[in-house]
Amino acid sequence: MPLLEVEELRIVFDTRKGPLCAVDRASFAIDRGEILGLVGESGAGKSLIATAIIGLLAPPARIAGGTVRLAGRRIDDLDAEAMRRIRGRAIGAIFQDPLGALNPLFTIGRQLEETIRVHRALDRRAARARAVELLRAVGIPDPERRLDAYPHELSGGMRQRVVIALALCADPLLVVADEPTTALDVSVQAQILRLLEQSCRERGAAVLLVTHDLGAIGAIADRVAVLYAGRIVEIGPVAAVVRNPRHPYTRGLLGAIPRIGARPRRLVQIEGTMPRLDAVPTGCAFHPRCPHAVARCRGERPELEPMGEARAVACFRPRGAEGGLG
Amino acid sequence: MWAAVRKLRDHELWWHFTRSPLAVGSAGLVFAFVLGALTAPWLAPHDPFDPARVFLADAFLPPVWVEGGDPRFLLGTDDQGRCVLSTILWGARISFFVGVSAVAFSAALGTVLGITAGSVGGAYESLVMRAADVQLTFPGILVALLIGGIARTLVPPALLEAAAVWVVVASIGIAGWPQYARIARAVTLVETSKDYIAAAQVMGLHPVRIMFRHLLPNVIGPISVVGTIGLALAIVSEATLSFLGVGVPPTTPSLGTLIRIGNDFLFSGEWWIVFFPSLALVLLVSAVNLLGDWLRDALDPKLR
Amino acid sequence: MSAPPLVEAFGLEKRFAIARPWLARLADRGRGRFVHAVAGVDLAVPRGRTLALVGESGCGKSTLARLLVGLLLPSAGRIRFDGRDLDLRLGRRAWAPVRRRIQMIFQDPYASLDPRWRVADILAEPLEAFGLVRSRGERRERVEELLRQVGLSPADGQKYPHEFSGGQRQRISIARALASRPDFLVCDEPTSALDVSVQAQILNLMKQLQEELDLTYLFISHDLAVVSVMADVVGVMYLGRIVELAPSKELFLRPRHPYTRLLLDTVREPGRRGRLPLAGEVPSPIDPPPGCAFHPRCPWASARCRGERPELEPVGEAHAVACHGVEEGRLPDPRGAPVSSPCAAP
Ligand SMILES: Nc1ncnc2c1ncn2[C@@H]1O[C@H](COP(=O)(O)OP(=O)(O)OP(=O)(O)O)[C@@H](O)[C@H]1O
Ligand SMILES: Nc1ncnc2c1ncn2[C@@H]1O[C@H](COP(=O)(O)OP(=O)(O)OP(=O)(O)O)[C@@H](O)[C@H]1O
Ligand code: SF4
Ligand SMILES: [Mg+2]
Ligand SMILES: [Mg+2]
């Protein structure tokens, strides 16, 4: 049984003009100790899925269908209090802005100790020792002294390390990381990604890594799910998807990434932009931008169908399929 | 014209407005007052300032529903036999005029000082903003009293009667500028840090042109919100000054002047002379204030 | 690079007083503390080519860009445009003779267009500012031409900026910059706020416009892969200085400076797991380390590096590096940019 199972998840916004569907029947699963990357462009609905899983979806957004199971137990219909306990114990969360996740008024030591003591019956001294251990584990030099620092006294990279330590302090089963490196310097991003990977693998925690950066996913994820306009269009092992993308959108996305060494006169570009929520096209949401669209794509929505080893694609004409593109 | 109306109807603000009974109610009340004040010369049943039509014999008549009331005077008459309802309509006219002019004055002054302070910076900015800070530590009415006093000593006595209203406008106006300057400067600082201002600078546009074409339109929104709330304050200030006898002269009484006159008769039983103008003032000021508060909340995306 | 460069800078510096109120500065008699955002930069942008500046947040890229377009006045140094020195004693007016020929594209597509103006008016503003159109008809024609040039439709002129996506807004920004028919475009991270697929569209557009209009670009980015696609010459910046300057191909094949190597090691591409990156973070430009500013993070730092600042020295044709280790020849051979996995795209 997978650790996290998301099935047919639907998220809508209640607006003045009626409900707007932002995530439409998204299904995926993460095994214990696995890292799944969720990639997509801005507005695709990545953060919505992440916040729905950790139970922090706030109006006007709400879950309008589907289920989320953690270790077999449904968590999408829990009340706020029960969900808060799960968030503390079984799910750790890391967000893009490390400053927002830390309380500016308390030292990082105090925040760590308190979080540790909520989950474990430890006295102050032991909690402090555990906090030092955690800070050392996330690569903060001189952790005994850093405990007394306030968040604003740390650099962005250091803060994100502290946030990772906070997320890991209850040894969660699942870590949900929403763009954990986007706000950081490039040279620090690589360190933080490595750290996230190592510390989660050591503890056997599964990770949902939400990002718009396919490079980050390539660096640490095992599998990747590609999200387009609120729908998962392709899912599979990272190496296979990158080497042989089957969905035209995945292919366009990979081609659009500039690469060192290759100096093309033009980058591959997907024409147009992702549709807004109130104007998602009929049929396959990608068809107006797709160079291979046929009549069927305009009328009928392709479902995510298994295709090859551990992979699935939502496309009528995926590459490598019979009748599809070569 | 119709396009403008349609635009207003489709605007988000209108949608919020129609869903807030408080906003609709206070807007209706303000509208009624504005209408009454504007049309006072025609609407008022009597002309209270025409000595030929005011008769001392009518003095101290109570409102109609009180015993001894006269059907000609709905809300009764004052010590000189003037119709209270008519004096209120005329008084609201003066109060409105002074309030709006004073707010326009302080908004204009504050906006110019705030925008220039925000975009010029340096010693000039420090000077303007410190001046605003210092002035804000004194109650506005005190500043207005002080400025009014100075102005009265400067204006030749012969002109004092005619200039009295303008002296009040100027003193309330000057007392109010720091609020507007602070807001205008804050908006200016936010906007000048945005790149479209940098783009205009790269085009070599003159700083004054940038102020007018790019900064001013951004400042007007927040300034008009504060202006609405400021209007209530200005009307109260005017009433206070007039009540203290250093405001609008009794020959063209404002609501404040009426309250001062009526106050003398409060304990001799002619309560209506002070009661109705006070009620009018309270209603007017509360309605304007509520409208301003609503507008501020409706325009502030954080509060939605 | 035989033609004389279009834009040159010599010893360009910019110091910012650390945000202190004017009165407080007066109180300690001007002995304020400074951020040396740009600390002596020499560069030359070849005509019709792209010089790219790359470096991490806070290293002074935007400040340098703003110095070149005259949004900021340099604390020291000279700027030469098309062979003529700007007379910096005139302050901002120094740029008056070249205003029309230098334009800029900004990073944030949401802040760089006035939200209260229609797109047609935004595009017409430079036309009017430089007196380039005489009649309303001419104005409309030119605006439509600009919209078409950046791949928008003439009807878009009647819309407001909020009706466009980030990528479309960046097109509008480009159109505005092109309005005065400039020669030199300073592009400060023009695609950092965009998604990759939109980034590809904008980069393609910029390349195409460069060819058609013979534009010279100063292209700023923190993304080495984007730089490698756009640049002819690359300058790597660290804490206000250029530490390595080389033709693009040479730089990615034979990076010499340890910081350039670090940056290349952190490059992630979908098909690659990347090398284990160096530790350490960018120090504050308020108190830069003495000697080589990079020495706290450099695995090859020596005593000399901690005490003496390396100058930019040529190490081959058109390649210059500011590093004692390189000069002394004690650095291992450069590992070039990792060649990416065979591209999966069509
Ligand atoms: N209050 C709201 N009302 C209506 N739509 C909203 C609201 N908040 C967000 N959305 C829409 O929900 C969609 C999904 O947003 P989400 O934040 O999940 O995107 P994302 O994939 O995380 O993008 P990013 O990379 O920008 O973080 C977007 O199209 C956004 O416009
Ligand atoms: N107006 C200013 N006043 C004071 N300090 C400033 C000012 N502008 C920039 N700085 C400082 O100068 C340094 C360089 O800033 P700059 O914006 O040029 O960096 P950058 O390389 O463009 O970074 P980013 O990638 O974040 O845009 C930073 O430390 C910044 O804090
Ligand atoms: S000068 Fe020294 S410290 Fe600086 S980069 Fe070169 S070897 Fe490293
Ligand atoms: Mg997001
Ligand atoms: Mg910058």
Side-chain angles (χ1 to χ4, degrees), chain A residues 11-15 20-23 38-51 57-61 96 178-179 182 210-212 227 229-230 274-278, chain C residues 195:
Chain A
I11 301 173
V12 301
F13 282 105
D14 289 315
T15 69
L20 276 182
C21 186
V23 172
L38 182 60
V39 72
E41 291 178 281
S42 180
K46 308 181 294 295
S47 299
L48 285 177
I49 293 180
T51 21
L57 215 52
Q96 171 170 342
D178 190 354
E179 312 259 8
T182 307
V210 170
T211 175
H212 63 269
L227 198 66
M274 200 167 65
R276 299 205 330 218
L277 290 187
D278 52 1
Chain C
D195 279 311

Side-chain angles (χ1 to χ4, degrees), chain B residues 148-256:
Chain B
I150 295 172
R152 253 182 291 279
T153 59
L154 294 181
V155 176
L159 298 176
L160 205 53
E161 177 83 23
V165 170
W166 295 110
V167 169
V168 176
V169 166
S171 40
I172 299 176
I174 293 175
W177 73 271
Q179 292 282 358
Y180 301 92
R182 281 187 163 186
I183 289 172
R185 170 173 166 272
V187 174
T188 303
L189 288 185
V190 170
E191 294 302 313
T192 39
S193 71
K194 292 190 184 162
D195 286 337
Y196 71 86
I197 300 290
Q201 287 169 343
V202 173
M203 281 169 220
L205 291 191
H206 194 273
V208 173
R209 193 159 156 192
I210 294 179
M211 284 181 209
F212 269 100
R213 309 216 327 158
H214 293 290
L215 293 176
L216 194 57
N218 283 298
V219 171
I220 283 176
I223 287 284
S224 46
V225 170
V226 178
T228 322
I229 299 172
L231 177 61
L233 203 67
I235 292 175
V236 172
S237 300
E238 182 277 332
T240 312
L241 290 181
S242 298
F243 184 80
L244 295 176
V246 290
V248 181
T251 44
T252 49
S254 70
L255 290 178

